Amino acid sequence: MPDGAGTADEAEAALRGRLASALGPTGAGRPVLLLVEGAAGTGKSRLVGRLAAAAGSARRTAPDGPPAADGPELLVVEDVHRAPADDLARLRALLADPPAHFACVLSYRPEELTAPGLVLGPDTDFPAALTVVRHVLRPLGPAEVHRMAVAALGADRCTPGLAAALHRLSGGVAQTVADLLDLLLAGPVAAGQPLPADLGRLGTPPRLDVLTLRRTAAVPEEHRPVVLAAAVLDEPATSRDLAAVAGLPGPSGADALSAALRAAVLEEHGDGRYGFRSPLAAAAVRHAATGPAREVLHRRAGRLLARRQPVPWERVAVHRRACGDERGWLHAVERAAQQLEDAGEQQRAAGLLESALATGPVPEQARSRLARRLARCAVVGLRSDETLKVLRHIVADPGLPPDVRGEIRLDLGLLLCNQMGDVMEGRDELARAVDDLAGRPVPLARAMSALAMPYGPDASFAENVAWIERAVTVAEESGDPVVQAAVAANRVSVLLNGGDPAAWPLIERLPRDSDLVGCRQQTSRGLCNAADAAVWLGHYDTSRALLAEGVELAARSGAAYAEQTGRGCALVVDWATGRWTGLAERCRAFVDESGDMPYLASDARMVLGLLALARGEWADTLDHLTGPDAADLDTGPVPISATASGALVRLALAHDDIAGAAAEAATAWKRLRAKGIWAWGAELAPWAVGATLRAGDAPTAAAMTDEFAVGLDSRDAPSAEAALEWTRGVLAEHTGGTDRAAAHYERSAAAYRALPRPYHAALTTAAAARRTLALGADSGPALAALADCATAFDALGATWDAARTRADLRDHRPSGERRPPGRPRYGDVLSPREEEVAELAAAGMSNREIAATLHLSPRTVEQHVARALQKTGVHSRQQLGRALGAAPG
């Protein structure tokens, strides 16, 4: 088999086949030699062990006699590179005239052979009668390393980022991967989810440390500087660069490199470049070297890299820092940050600047420059508590010039609002920044534009509009295209969230194809924010199109935060349009990924709460919507607060907690009125008005309905318009207008179907059917509609709604269709009622909650649960879910 042909499993199967052919009674019996070649740690011994076990023949491990004459025999010799000359001679003699039904497996490290390429020494030769197969074990690929990590840590603890870091640090060497995983499991993060950074803190595994240093020691002392040079450069380098950094001019550099290659401490990487097999091996050599020796080589490396075009300033900064050149290091940090920012890699730039400001001796003037750049990069990246700490410390410096403080305060405010989720504090910082930035139109326009963003509860929509109008004027005066793009993006958000149709043409004018990366980043943010606004309005196809464009542009231009907001918005679109299959799992994964940024994770937590409510999982509903990690209803994004409050009102009504429902409705309505964006009331209004009516306050409920209608007048908000019809139906139902209620519900259901919003369409269709049945009219169509709704709820996984709807069906079933007196016999199979109760019990509902949902007595529910436990053979309500899922049909 050619080297590397097929997958690893296919290659191993082929090797087993070779052995079976040589040793088996039905095989050809031609002797075979398997050469298992691989660098240290690539898994040769494990492979040889599996092959020998599969062969099943008599085995020996030393060439200390002639082959057996009376049957098949397998000779296994490992680590042939260490074999003494006498053993090599015996092997050569044995293989010179091998008998039939004989197989030999030899394993070795090619880099440690006395004579390169000659496994049995200088006199290696293979006779024609011998089948010779060489199998080369190469470093593992990323997918194989990921599988090893999952096997050791579990799929829930092995993120793609961790697996990628594991592959990079180990160089794909299987033994190093295993050693790192062992160290990780034994370390302080053993019980949590390891992060890629945790691997860097583990150091070099002792086994790799010893191997690398032993090979380094085998290099003659006068040639060892080339090994340290490779460790300092820490990437594959040319022989000329290695010699220059090592300080070995002319032939001495080539001789040193040859010695390092012979000792197998360095290896060829192709294209005339040489280096270590893995970054950890390089780290072992660096750590073992004396400080002065390292400093000299770092200084040479910095000078070498500074002569390249373009200059890799980030690497130059590392070398200058390591050799104590503080001034040169600071210059390189600034140039590197500029380089990364220009390339759209703000996240890396922020990390570099954050590290410099947090740990380096930075003069005051330079500190201000670095802080401004850090702040600018941080607002388009992801959360960093260290960046926040650095910026707060700098802003508090009384000696800072006001305009510099204002510029840093601006980005600090944005960081607090977005990445950190501290909206109120962030907006306070933005307001202070406006005062500090008078006379500086570029940052001033950014601050005003940020204060215009409408999601926070601290300012009315009218105030948001006033801020964006001022920002547009200042941005136009500035002449700066990036700040003009930022203001244009925010203007779209303000107008579109307010349901102003004038916003749609503005989206098309955003500078998608600008040559400036800053303009593209602002455009990507504007597109993702417009997609979010479109979701709340009810334009779902448009939202998906904007998301696709915005997320792609964000990823391409380095706007990591905008990319994440787009992904969070996609979860809300899927919830609204009924794409619930796997949605909870996607939301949980998103929360895990971005859970340290509460504002960013709020979309996913909200969706998880709404899904739990539809399933009747009350405790989970409360945890997702009001738990310690949820967005605060009084300070969080108003559309999410309104939606969460609507769910909480509905939950209180399900518990027959009328006072609690009415109180939540009143508080939420007050927040919505203060904000003034009535399109955001779509998920609140029907439940808030219903709770107010059930509390006996019909005049207030009527006023709320009228206020909702006036707020939506001339607004482009189809989802809220459908909710308005629903709300009018609720009002009519509770004020004696049953026939009008049914008509409003039907119009609402038709509007929801057109959007489409299947869950809400089913809720309002069921409400219309119930009102029709209450009128005593022809029940056939209404019952058919209820049956369709139950099916729709089942398809979505809305267990609670499906159970309620089926209960209504039973209550209104014509007498001729009801079962005859007496209990039907179901034996050991759950009856339909028992299965229904069991589903709700498994979802976490109490007996009293199930009773209220299904119109049964708590005692009857208790009996049904007991029979369900007995028939399914489980011992708890939690186990019922798995038992029901495993049942046939």
Side-chain angles (χ1 to χ4, degrees):
M1 175 178 290
D3 292 350
T7 66
D9 289 341
E10 291 170 346
E12 186 171 330
L15 295 178
R16 291 181 181 180
R18 293 282 191 181
L19 292 178
S21 178
L23 299 172
T26 60
R30 181 176 177 178
V32 64
L33 170 63
L34 297 186
L35 301 175
V36 179
E37 173 183 307
T42 49
K44 297 181 297 299
S45 294
R46 288 188 292 272
L47 173 60
V48 168
R50 292 194 300 270
L51 292 175
S57 299
R59 182 190 349 169
R60 58 186 174 126
T61 58
D64 51 2
D70 56 350
E73 183 178 30
L74 173 65
L75 172 63
V76 176
V77 182
E78 294 200 67
D79 294 334
V80 177
H81 54 280
R82 295 176 181 163
D86 289 348
D87 281 356
L88 292 178
R90 281 193 286 271
L91 273 172
R92 289 195 299 270
L94 184 62
L95 296 173
D97 186 22
H101 300 292
F102 172 76
C104 179
V105 179
L106 305 180
S107 72
Y108 60 96
R109 299 175 182 176
E111 70 272 24
E112 294 190 22
L113 291 174
T114 305
L118 300 177
V119 65
L120 299 178
D123 297 325
T124 299
D125 190 21
F126 304 127
L130 185 67
T131 298
V132 182
V133 177
R134 179 175 62 185
H135 178 73
V136 180
L137 283 169
R138 305 188 188 281
L140 304 177
E144 295 165 304
V145 171
H146 185 262
R147 283 195 290 272
M148 281 186 69
V150 167
L153 303 172
D156 58 330
R157 298 179 62 214
C158 180
T159 63
L162 179 72
L166 193 59
H167 179 262
R168 181 183 61 81
L169 285 173
S170 67
V173 177
Q175 184 63 66
T176 306
V177 174
D179 288 345
L180 284 171
L181 289 169
D182 286 343
L183 291 173
L184 201 58
L185 287 168
V189 295
Q193 185 178 70
L195 300 173
D198 294 322
L199 289 173
R201 289 188 279 269
L202 294 176
T204 304
R207 195 190 321 267
L208 177 60
D209 205 34
V210 168
L211 173 67
T212 304
L213 296 180
R214 175 168 56 78
R215 289 179 170 180
T216 300
V219 178
E221 186 173 357
E222 67 272 18
H223 296 326
R224 283 180 207 158
V226 80
V227 179
L228 182 53
V232 164
L233 285 170
D234 201 16
E235 69 170 7
T238 65
S239 57
R240 178 178 296 180
D241 287 352
L242 288 171
V245 174
L248 297 172
S252 60
D255 293 342
L257 179 56
S258 297
L261 294 170
R262 283 194 301 271
V265 66
L266 299 182
E267 63 178 35
E268 292 190 56
H269 285 266
D271 298 326
R273 296 180 183 274
Y274 308 86
F276 290 90
R277 180 172 292 274
S278 71
L280 287 175
V285 172
R286 283 198 305 275
H287 294 156
T290 61
R294 281 199 309 270
E295 286 185 19
V296 170
L297 270 67
H298 275 295
R299 186 170 288 107
R300 290 178 187 152
R303 286 200 296 263
L304 174 76
L305 296 176
R307 290 195 293 267
R308 292 185 178 173
Q309 289 300 327
V311 178
W313 286 111
E314 191 174 6
R315 291 178 57 211
V316 171
V318 171
H319 293 299
R320 289 181 176 175
R321 180 89 181 265
C323 72
D325 180 5
E326 293 179 358
R327 184 175 179 180
W329 161 72
L330 184 59
H331 173 74
V333 164
E334 291 197 70
R335 297 294 296 272
Q338 178 69 61
Q339 206 171 49
L340 290 168
E341 192 177 358
D342 290 345
E345 296 188 58
Q346 273 81 357
Q347 195 73 25
R348 278 178 62 192
L352 178 66
L353 293 164
E354 175 187 288
S355 176
L357 286 165
T359 62
V362 182
E364 194 59 42
Q365 186 176 5
R367 191 172 182 80
S368 297
R369 291 200 310 273
L370 293 186
R372 276 180 283 179
R373 190 178 294 279
L374 169 60
R376 189 166 62 242
C377 293
V379 296
V380 297
L382 302 179
R383 173 174 176 149
S384 171
D385 292 332
E386 189 61 40
T387 291
L388 183 66
K389 179 180 175 182
V390 169
L391 295 182
R392 276 178 166 158
H393 178 73
I394 292 172
V395 163
D397 181 359
L400 206 63
D403 59 334
V404 174
R405 179 183 290 106
E407 192 171 343
I408 297 174
R409 197 188 293 280
L410 160 62
D411 289 319
L412 173 60
L414 292 172
L415 190 67
L416 284 164
C417 285
N418 298 329
Q419 286 87 337
M420 311 307 294
D422 295 330
V423 179
M424 307 301 279
E425 182 184 354
R427 291 180 67 85
D428 285 344
E429 292 288 354
L430 291 171
R432 293 190 193 104
V434 169
D435 294 334
D436 287 338
L437 292 170
R440 298 195 58 200
V442 170
L444 180 60
R446 288 182 62 218
M448 291 176 171
S449 176
L451 285 166
M453 290 301 282
Y455 297 105
D458 63 311
S460 69
F461 182 57
E463 292 175 86
N464 298 138
V465 172
W467 276 118
I468 199 63
E469 289 174 352
R470 290 177 63 187
V472 168
T473 300
V474 176
E476 289 175 353
E477 292 172 354
S478 76
D480 185 285
V482 175
V483 79
Q484 288 171 349
V487 171
N490 284 11
R491 187 182 182 203
V492 166
S493 291
V494 173
L495 298 182
L496 197 57
N497 274 293
D500 189 338
W504 296 110
L506 300 180
I507 297 174
E508 298 306 313
R509 299 178 198 165
L510 294 175
R512 296 161 170 80
D513 302 319
S514 172
D515 293 334
L516 299 174
V517 67
C519 288
R520 297 196 300 274
Q521 288 173 343
Q522 296 297 341
T523 296
S524 71
R525 185 179 60 81
L527 292 171
C528 291
N529 286 346
D532 182 73
V535 172
W536 296 113
L537 295 176
H539 295 289
Y540 305 116
D541 289 341
T542 300
S543 179
R544 283 199 175 93
L546 290 169
L547 278 178
E549 186 180 11
V551 169
E552 188 277 333
L553 183 58
R556 185 158 42 87
S557 60
Y561 187 80
E563 183 181 358
Q564 288 292 88
T565 60
R567 291 178 54 212
C569 177
L571 300 172
V572 184
V573 179
D574 286 347
W575 168 74
T577 56
R579 298 185 180 186
W580 290 11
T581 301
L583 179 57
E585 290 74 17
R586 297 199 300 277
C587 287
R588 281 191 285 270
F590 189 80
V591 168
D592 289 342
E593 185 178 342
S594 57
D596 62 342
M597 290 181 283
Y599 205 89
L600 194 59
S602 58
D603 281 340
R605 292 190 187 280
M606 178 193 74
V607 172
L608 283 170
L610 297 171
L611 291 173
L613 177 62
R615 291 192 294 263
E617 297 169 353
W618 306 142
D620 286 345
T621 302
L622 285 171
D623 180 59
H624 292 311
L625 297 181
T626 65
D629 295 322
D632 184 82
L633 295 181
D634 289 322
T635 62
V638 176
I640 289 179
S641 297
T643 301
S645 286
L648 294 173
V649 170
R650 189 184 180 198
L651 182 57
L653 292 174
H655 285 99
D656 210 28
D657 178 11
I658 306 303
E664 180 66 38
T667 300
W669 202 261
K670 184 178 179 181
R671 284 195 299 261
L672 188 63
R673 180 186 294 124
K675 185 75 242 184
I677 299 181
W678 291 98
W680 290 347
E683 308 304 318
L684 171 66
W687 309 113
V689 168
T692 306
L693 287 163
R694 288 185 62 180
D697 191 354
T700 298
M704 291 165 65
T705 304
D706 289 342
E707 190 174 20
F708 190 36
V710 170
L712 295 177
D713 186 42
S714 74
R715 298 294 171 180
D716 175 19
S719 180
E721 291 289 349
L724 175 60
E725 286 293 340
W726 186 356
T727 306
R728 285 169 170 161
V730 172
L731 181 63
E733 178 181 342
H734 285 79
T735 54
T738 301
D739 53 343
R740 288 184 291 108
H744 282 303
Y745 287 143
E746 287 170 356
R747 285 196 290 272
S748 177
Y752 279 128
R753 283 192 293 271
L755 286 176
R757 294 197 68 169
Y759 179 61
H760 289 67
L763 287 174
T764 46
T765 298
R770 293 187 187 102
R771 290 307 93 211
T772 300
L773 290 170
L775 288 170
D778 181 7
S779 63
L783 290 174
L786 280 177
D788 289 342
C789 290
T791 301
F793 289 135
D794 281 331
L796 288 166
T799 313
W800 177 45
D801 295 290
R804 290 172 55 250
T805 307
R806 283 194 291 268
D808 288 332
L809 277 170
R810 278 190 297 274
D811 290 344
H812 291 90
R813 184 183 298 146
S815 57
E817 297 180 11
R818 295 174 183 167
R819 65 174 176 80
R823 178 178 296 170
R825 299 185 180 276
Y826 291 97
D828 292 333
V829 178
L830 293 178
S831 71
R833 176 67 90 184
E834 288 166 350
E835 184 172 0
E836 195 168 57
V837 170
E839 286 178 354
L840 296 179
M845 292 176 68
S846 69
N847 288 354
R848 186 170 296 279
E849 290 165 345
I850 297 171
T853 296
L854 300 180
H855 309 301
L856 302 171
S857 71
R859 176 62 179 163
T860 301
V861 171
E862 182 180 339
Q863 293 171 345
H864 284 316
V865 171
R867 283 195 292 271
L869 291 171
Q870 182 182 12
K871 289 182 179 183
T872 56
V874 299
H875 305 290
S876 70
R877 297 162 82 101
Q878 289 79 11
Q879 294 173 329
L880 270 175
R882 291 192 293 273
L884 294 172

